Amino acid sequence: MSPRLILPLWFILSACGQNVEKDQGQLDSAAPSMALTGRVVDDADLLTEETEKELTGILANLEQTSGPQFVIATTKSLNGLEITDYSLKLARAWGIGNKHRDDGVLLLVAPNEREVRIEVGYGLEASLSDPFCAEVIREAMLPAFSAGRMEEGILNGAARLIKKMQRVPSLPANDNAPEIPAQNRKIS
């Protein structure tokens, strides 16, 4: 019998979500009720007002300069859903990212369930791979979360993701469809 290493984690580690495949009918039922109010939706009240404003500006700049649309959300409850289902439903309901490039990213933190997930559109899966997102959660976020510094963990994770996305060349939507200008996307 081989020995196992068990690491106590404050949060359940959830990697990127670009490979999640579910029945569409199942995904549409019991959709999360959180409203998309901006690039940062802090329903669990983990961030200060100053941090929300700072992140909103950074995320807007990322979208304008690099193209990907990145939303950070915290929720009081996953409403009995698995975080993989909840985050995918939320990302689809909010329409994060360019429809043709599928370049949306959602960082979701559910402190009451002690879970965190990074949901990534297929268009970014090469640069924001499952192993990379797992590393971001494990190394940049969980240490701060375990110490009770939720805001710091969110900032650390967002910074690592943004740095990686800034290195991705902005791609055209496709040959047959015009790119949707940043100002015309759903997030204000």
Side-chain angles (χ1 to χ4, degrees):
M1 177 156 73
S2 64
R4 288 193 231 174
L5 176 64
I6 300 174
L7 298 174
L9 293 178
W10 190 82
F11 268 67
I12 295 172
L13 180 63
S14 296
C16 292
Q18 68 265 22
N19 294 322
V20 176
E21 295 289 333
K22 295 283 185 176
D23 174 70
Q24 185 62 40
Q26 180 184 0
L27 283 173
D28 290 339
S29 65
S33 61
M34 289 174 48
L36 180 63
T37 56
R39 289 176 172 84
V40 179
V41 180
D42 186 23
D43 193 48
D45 200 27
L46 300 178
L47 305 171
T48 64
E49 188 174 318
E50 296 80 29
T51 298
E52 282 187 54
K53 286 179 184 176
E54 178 185 351
L55 281 171
T56 296
I58 292 168
L59 298 177
N61 184 57
L62 173 71
E63 186 177 338
Q64 290 169 354
T65 59
S66 299
Q69 191 174 60
F70 180 15
V71 175
I72 298 170
T74 69
T75 184
K76 294 176 188 171
S77 173
L78 296 173
N79 300 325
L81 296 173
E82 296 292 323
I83 195 165
T84 55
D85 292 335
Y86 190 96
S87 63
L88 190 56
K89 288 179 183 186
L90 199 57
R92 285 184 177 169
W94 286 354
I96 299 171
N98 179 287
K99 178 181 175 183
H100 301 290
R101 288 191 313 248
D102 197 4
D103 62 352
V105 178
L106 173 66
L107 170 58
L108 177 66
V109 178
N112 292 330
E113 285 90 349
R114 302 168 76 113
E115 294 188 284
V116 60
R117 182 162 177 84
I118 300 168
E119 198 69 56
V120 176
Y122 285 110
L124 288 175
E125 70 181 354
S127 59
L128 298 181
S129 65
D130 283 347
F132 174 76
C133 290
E135 178 184 302
V136 168
I137 292 170
R138 185 179 58 252
E139 295 176 7
M141 300 179 77
L142 291 182
F145 289 171
S146 295
R149 298 186 312 268
M150 302 300 290
E151 184 173 70
E152 179 183 326
I154 292 168
L155 287 169
N156 292 346
R160 291 272 303 270
L161 293 168
I162 290 166
K163 184 176 180 181
K164 185 81 162 187
M165 283 186 277
Q166 287 173 330
R167 289 190 242 146
V168 176
S170 188
L171 301 172
N174 70 29
D175 293 334
N176 300 323
E179 181 176 349
I180 300 168
Q183 65 271 21
N184 294 341
R185 295 184 193 170
K186 286 188 174 184
I187 297 177
S188 57

